[in-house]
Amino acid sequence: MGGLVLLCAAVLLLAAGGAIPPPEEAARMARFVLHNCDWGALATLSAQEGLRGHPFANIFSLSDGPPGLFSGSGVPYLYLTDMEISVQDLEINSNASLTVSLAQTPYCKKHRYDPQNPLCAHIIFCGSIVKVNDSEVALAKKALFSRHPEMESWPKDHNWFFAKFNITNIWVLDYFGGLKIVTPEEYYNVKP
């Protein structure tokens, strides 16, 4: 039932006229896309034997806050375990990139945009993954469990922990003409 409510909310939000920020508002677009995505592709530098030093991408569930208008913080939160191969890479080198795309929402299908079409906006974040401190755990937990309720029942013996993507660089591809660069300050200061 909760998943259906989330899906309906996302469809209503994305179907609403003018809900997608205009191309000249790249920082708002970055916030909008992240908030409307439930997962992203996280790329690390592999520390695994045979792949050491090579790029390695993996899918991770994420959330910047509970669903709904203006409820996102802009901070991508993740729920991780040291048992996961990409997390093992991050223990050696915490630098990573994270890509999120409106291709995972109904928006691009509705408009018949291929995921590579710039009008099917995607955002590339660069930065590092860090464990959240004690003062941020409740916020991360609410953000993730509100969108991914299954996480609460994941095996406790896997030693799950809350982490966040510390953003240092942001690139927005939401229109023709190439990538737009958004600073973290612009990103966090804009009203989504």
Side-chain angles (χ1 to χ4, degrees):
M1 179 70 170
L4 181 60
V5 170
L6 291 178
L7 179 60
C8 289
V11 169
L12 289 174
L13 174 66
L14 291 169
I20 301 292
E24 60 274 8
E25 295 186 33
R28 270 191 62 222
M29 180 63 80
R31 292 283 301 267
F32 178 86
V33 173
L34 178 68
H35 186 65
N36 284 285
C37 289
D38 289 332
W39 55 270
L42 184 75
T44 60
L45 287 176
S46 181
Q48 306 304 313
E49 193 62 42
L51 291 175
R52 192 165 284 124
H54 290 274
F56 187 83
N58 208 342
I59 300 298
F60 284 91
S61 298
L62 56 83
S63 176
D64 80 329
L69 290 173
F70 312 113
S71 62
S73 67
V75 177
Y77 289 107
L78 304 104
Y79 197 42
L80 304 174
T81 172
D82 292 330
M83 299 172 78
E84 209 288 321
I85 191 169
S86 295
V87 176
Q88 294 168 17
D89 296 342
L90 292 166
E91 289 171 352
I92 304 298
N93 182 345
S94 65
N95 293 317
S97 66
L98 173 68
T99 301
V100 291
S101 170
L102 286 182
Q104 67 176 275
T105 70
Y107 178 79
C108 296
K109 285 190 195 279
K110 175 186 173 197
H111 294 308
R112 297 185 176 184
Y113 295 149
D114 186 88
Q116 272 188 254
N117 182 331
L119 299 176
C120 184
H122 73 270
I123 315 304
I124 303 163
F125 298 98
C126 284
S128 60
I129 301 288
V130 296
K131 288 183 180 180
V132 300
N133 60 36
D134 291 342
S135 66
E136 206 171 356
V137 167
L139 183 61
K141 183 177 183 177
K142 181 179 179 183
L144 284 159
F145 290 2
S146 65
R147 290 182 184 247
H148 308 282
E150 174 188 329
M151 287 179 169
E152 285 189 88
S153 65
W154 287 356
K156 300 297 181 214
D157 65 351
H158 284 40
N159 297 317
W160 295 96
F161 61 92
F162 295 99
K164 66 180 176 181
F165 195 94
N166 242 1
I167 300 169
T168 57
N169 302 86
I170 305 164
W171 291 274
V172 175
L173 185 59
D174 65 345
Y175 201 72
F176 302 102
L179 290 166
K180 299 169 193 162
I181 296 172
V182 173
T183 67
E185 293 77 25
E186 292 167 330
Y187 174 79
Y188 286 116
N189 287 332
V190 75
K191 297 262 187 219

